[in-house]
Amino acid sequence: MHGETLDYLVVGGGPAGLQLGQLLQAAGHRYRILESGRTPGTFFRTYPRHRKLISINKIHTGTDDPELRLRMDWNSLLSPDPELLFPRYSERYFPHADDLVRYLADFAEAFKLDIAYDTRAVRLRRDGDAPDAGFVATDQRGTEHRGRRLIVATGVSRSHIPPIPGIETAEQYATVTVDPEDFTDQRVLILGKGNSALETADNLIETAAVIHVAGPHSVRMAWNTHYVGHLRAVNNNFLDTYQLKSQNALLDGHVLAIERDAAGRYLVRFSFTRAEETVKELRYDRVIVCTGFGFDASPFDPGCRPDLVIDDRFAALTPAYESVNVPGLYVAGTLMQQRDFKKSTGGFIHGFRYAVRALSRILDERHHGRPWPGRTLPAVPEALADAVVERVNRTSALWQQFGVLGDLLVFGPGGEVRYHEEVPVEYAPLSPVTRGRDYVTVTLEYGPDHDKVDPFDITVRRVAQNSADDAFDASYLHPVIRHWRDGELLGVHHMAENLENEWNDPRVHHAPLAGFFAAAPGRPAAGAGV
């Protein structure tokens, strides 16, 4: 038994656990990471099954600015060591998963993180009956680890299996063979329309006789939605074979039942959405389930089991990334996407690395009396516009976590303005730094209907580039500035979109923004001092 009660127990030694561990360590907190595998990043030793990551690794960016380079580097953790970044491990745009595993191991070793390897948390419970009691994690050897607060960074480690009769007879994405020769001349049904399903289908194009990819929803392309978890172009070769009549097809509808006969073949009853729910029986040699993953809540005792949402795939979270029903239980990493599910990048390293840093600041603010880092600005509209323009043209955090993280300008007594970076926008009104004060949020966002615009349709009306008058109607990524008081939105300003994401034109970007600050109720007039 480990008698020491730490400040934080972190369950999971993947990228999120390592990122949080480095931040907790730098802050001087006592913590321990419990990792089930022999090395960090156990998940990536298996997934993706075909070993090509869809997180980009663009090395040649034309800039030496490390902040700007992070916009095109989706695999690095935030590191105080400028040498410890993923592009030093691979030059491939879509890297091999093994390179990420190697990088994570080096990251853990470089910072000498406190990680208990080969330590699987099989039971998680409260350390007593008090509502604010700490937590105990019991591992597979019966050793108990104690922490005042528990942070779950296990990711989505449980396969999500739809409730279809007979689905237990099908093969799973997690274990099915990835050798295309094993499917030669076979009829294959793949359940799911996400990246794991289409990755699997692409792997079989050259060998399978027929491939059907089925699901109740239409395929959504990442280039339309800007959600990188939707189907990526690197996995969409199969769509070409479907549209060009190469014996493959997308089936839109519901699988009603799966039956396997004595010879091992499958009879599948399918209801077609586009044919007025017509039901047909289809025969296949193989059925593969590629329907995603979810959070494994099985280790939790009933007294501290988090409420689950989104088909029980994620823990329900507050804006502080804390369980809604278990105080002191937080999540880090891909589980954070419950707050921005299929809207931003919280489910991926290039998004949650910033959310994890925000979580570390929330923990400092809530439990250690450390205010959110910030700096003081002159309360002059031009100076405030200067600060915002400089940030939106460099920040990687607001770029990656669009619409989720924002910078805050908080107006204090005596005209003081404090600038706080990378605050979750839904947490901002709960933070002590905004209590009783006007504040402005600065975010990067797409337009509200951006996912309904075909980016390749030249007949669609476009907002003129660098047009301040049309900025509010922009569908592409651009800065949005909002003025708040006591939960009430007092004003909104959109900065004009720009082809190369450079929002620094004195006339088009800076001057209208300074005018917004000058006109905001109760804000200093142009040229006024502090």
Side-chain angles (χ1 to χ4, degrees):
M1 176 183 296
H2 287 189
E4 178 187 18
T5 299
L6 303 166
D7 296 322
Y8 298 98
L9 275 181
V10 181
V11 181
L18 301 187
Q19 183 72 85
L20 183 60
Q22 186 272 319
L23 293 165
L24 294 175
Q25 184 166 284
H29 303 313
R30 296 178 305 147
Y31 74 97
R32 180 165 299 120
I33 300 170
L34 309 182
E35 165 56 38
S36 63
R38 294 174 285 104
T39 61
T42 300
F43 180 87
F44 291 100
R45 289 188 174 278
T46 302
Y47 303 106
R49 292 300 313 285
H50 301 88
R51 311 309 289 147
K52 179 186 285 188
L53 299 174
I54 58 174
S55 48
I56 69 170
N57 179 49
K58 192 172 190 292
I59 294 177
H60 303 292
T61 62
T63 179
D64 293 327
D65 186 326
E67 186 72 10
L68 287 174
R69 289 178 66 85
L70 279 172
R71 291 183 174 185
M72 304 301 147
D73 170 6
W74 290 9
N75 298 284
S76 289
L77 300 181
L78 304 177
S79 172
D81 180 355
E83 300 298 310
L84 198 59
L85 296 171
F86 183 80
R88 296 189 178 275
Y89 289 74
S90 174
E91 295 186 353
R92 296 169 65 177
Y93 188 76
F94 293 114
H96 196 285
D98 289 351
D99 291 326
L100 180 60
V101 173
R102 185 163 53 92
Y103 167 67
L104 296 175
D106 286 354
F107 187 94
E109 176 60 27
F111 294 107
K112 305 299 181 186
L113 299 182
D114 186 350
I115 305 177
Y117 291 111
D118 193 24
T119 302
R120 186 175 69 257
V122 298
R123 184 187 179 196
L124 299 169
R125 61 179 176 85
R126 283 285 195 189
D127 193 9
D129 297 328
D132 59 349
F135 296 85
V136 179
T138 304
D139 66 29
Q140 76 274 26
R141 291 177 290 272
T143 303
E144 293 184 340
H145 309 261
R146 285 181 159 76
R148 291 185 176 86
R149 291 163 195 95
L150 178 67
I151 302 173
V152 178
T154 54
V156 284
S157 57
R158 174 182 58 83
S159 294
H160 173 64
I161 308 299
I164 299 171
I167 198 169
E168 69 280 357
T169 66
E171 298 175 273
Q172 301 295 323
Y173 172 73
T175 54
V176 68
T177 175
V178 294
D179 184 351
E181 300 301 324
D182 292 338
F183 296 84
T184 300
D185 256 347
Q186 294 184 348
R187 293 175 57 87
V188 181
L189 173 65
I190 299 173
L191 302 184
K193 289 183 176 177
N195 282 294
S196 62
L198 274 297
E199 162 204 334
T200 302
D202 278 1
N203 186 52
L204 304 182
I205 287 173
E206 293 181 352
T207 56
V210 172
I211 307 169
H212 289 170
V213 173
H217 306 293
S218 299
V219 168
R220 304 199 72 189
M221 302 303 300
W223 65 52
N224 263 118
T225 67
H226 302 110
Y227 171 64
V228 299
H230 283 144
L231 184 61
R232 302 287 298 284
V234 70
N235 285 328
N236 77 2
N237 287 335
F238 174 83
L239 302 184
D240 192 68
T241 71
Y242 167 43
Q243 291 297 329
L244 298 180
K245 304 176 182 64
S246 299
Q247 293 187 285
N248 299 328
L250 280 176
L251 307 184
D252 300 321
H254 297 268
V255 174
L256 303 179
I258 301 171
E259 297 179 11
R260 193 176 189 190
D261 62 24
R265 298 192 68 200
Y266 292 89
L267 179 66
V268 177
R269 296 182 65 245
F270 193 85
S271 173
F272 286 87
T273 300
R274 294 173 186 256
E276 299 180 349
E277 307 303 330
T278 298
V279 175
K280 291 191 68 174
E281 292 186 343
L282 305 172
R283 293 190 177 275
Y284 299 96
D285 299 294
R286 311 282 282 269
V287 176
I288 307 172
V289 181
C290 301
T291 49
F293 297 87
F295 170 52
D296 182 6
S298 62
F300 287 89
D301 274 11
C304 70
R305 187 177 189 272
D307 289 345
L308 302 180
V309 293
I310 312 176
D311 295 329
D312 290 344
R313 294 173 62 188
F314 298 93
L317 304 176
T318 72
Y321 303 112
E322 184 179 27
S323 165
V324 298
N325 66 305
V326 185
L329 170 61
Y330 295 85
V331 307
T334 191
L335 295 173
M336 290 171 140
Q337 69 180 289
Q338 190 274 315
R339 297 297 309 176
D340 64 335
F341 187 62
K342 294 191 177 182
K343 295 178 181 177
S344 192
T345 60
F348 312 90
I349 293 174
H350 67 290
F352 68 60
R353 62 191 177 193
Y354 304 101
V356 169
R357 181 160 66 186
L359 172 62
S360 73
R361 292 170 175 169
I362 290 171
L363 297 174
D364 273 348
E365 194 175 60
R366 286 180 148 201
H367 305 302
H368 303 282
R370 301 176 184 177
W372 203 283
R375 66 186 188 275
T376 301
L377 298 177
V380 179
E382 291 79 3
L384 303 183
D386 285 345
V388 171
V389 167
E390 192 278 332
R391 274 287 290 168
V392 297
N393 280 283
R394 276 197 76 229
T395 173
S396 61
L398 274 57
W399 172 276
Q400 304 289 25
Q401 279 274 266
F402 51 88
V404 174
L405 296 183
D407 287 357
L408 303 186
L409 288 83
V410 182
F411 299 89
E416 177 186 81
V417 179
R418 293 281 290 170
Y419 198 110
H420 304 274
E421 297 179 0
E422 302 170 23
V423 181
V425 292
E426 293 184 346
Y427 176 75
L430 308 177
S431 172
V433 302
T434 63
R435 191 168 296 140
R437 298 179 178 180
D438 280 27
Y439 67 94
V440 167
T441 57
V442 180
T443 54
L444 294 179
E445 300 179 23
Y446 293 93
D449 295 322
H450 66 92
D451 58 339
K452 299 179 177 64
V453 176
D454 182 348
F456 304 115
D457 184 354
I458 63 172
T459 66
V460 175
R461 175 185 177 272
R462 303 291 184 195
V463 173
Q465 289 287 325
N466 285 348
S467 171
D469 293 339
D470 291 333
F472 70 93
D473 201 29
S475 60
Y476 186 59
L477 192 72
H478 64 285
V480 183
I481 295 85
R482 294 180 174 89
H483 178 199
W484 300 88
R485 177 186 299 157
D486 297 328
E488 180 184 359
L489 180 61
L490 300 181
V492 181
H493 175 72
H494 292 257
M495 293 176 68
E497 67 177 43
N498 176 269
L499 176 65
E500 299 195 60
N501 306 304
E502 294 175 353
W503 305 287
N504 52 14
D505 184 281
R507 179 182 59 84
V508 174
H509 297 113
H510 189 281
L513 179 58
F516 173 78
F517 281 120
R523 300 284 53 80
V530 176

